[in-house]
Amino acid sequence: GEGETNWARENLRDLDHLSAGMAIAYKYMTSLHWTLTQFTPASMEVTAKNLRERLMSICVLLFGLITFTSLISRISNAMSHLQTLNSANFMRQHKLREWLRENSVSMNF
């Protein structure tokens, strides 16, 4: 509601000393700072002050959690695929060396 306490009223009320452009920049940087702290162990003084802000914080955290776990999963799958390819290549090379040794083929070119 109109008179409801929120993070902006709590943290951005004393910006009269800034020009309009600097005040907007400060608000955007504060919002960016808050967003980054949601994805890291960092903290800041801006916290949820009402139900809507708390819900937004929870949604951002869940989005970050899902995005991060998806990224880790993709990296793990790529590493597993790379390991499989390397293993197959190693087996082919091993079989070739074995065949060359069994057939007394010199590997000196």
Side-chain angles (χ1 to χ4, degrees):
E2 186 66 31
E4 186 177 42
T5 300
N6 62 45
W7 75 269
R9 280 199 184 97
E10 288 284 322
N11 298 285
L12 302 176
R13 61 177 162 228
D14 298 322
L15 301 180
D16 297 337
H17 64 285
L18 298 175
S19 67
M22 287 301 292
I24 289 172
Y26 183 81
K27 290 175 184 179
Y28 276 108
M29 289 300 111
T30 302
S31 298
L32 177 62
H33 185 191
W34 175 84
T35 302
L36 292 173
T37 61
Q38 299 305 298
F39 297 110
T40 65
S43 64
M44 72 177 300
E45 68 278 359
V46 174
T47 59
K49 303 292 183 191
N50 58 47
L51 181 62
R52 283 184 293 202
E53 290 175 354
R54 178 114 10 234
L55 181 60
M56 181 63 176
S57 295
I58 291 168
C59 289
V60 169
L61 286 170
L62 288 174
F63 174 77
L65 178 67
I66 291 167
T67 302
F68 183 70
T69 54
S70 175
L71 176 66
I72 295 299
S73 175
R74 287 176 186 235
I75 291 171
S76 295
N77 286 339
M79 294 297 289
S80 179
H81 182 68
L82 184 59
Q83 188 176 11
T84 301
L85 292 175
N86 284 338
S87 177
N89 188 36
F90 176 79
M91 289 304 295
R92 282 193 300 272
Q93 288 179 359
H94 177 71
K95 287 180 181 180
L96 176 60
R97 282 192 294 274
E98 192 175 289
W99 185 88
L100 291 171
R101 189 172 41 317
E102 287 174 359
N103 293 291
S104 301
V105 177
S106 173
M107 293 199 303
N108 297 329
F109 304 143

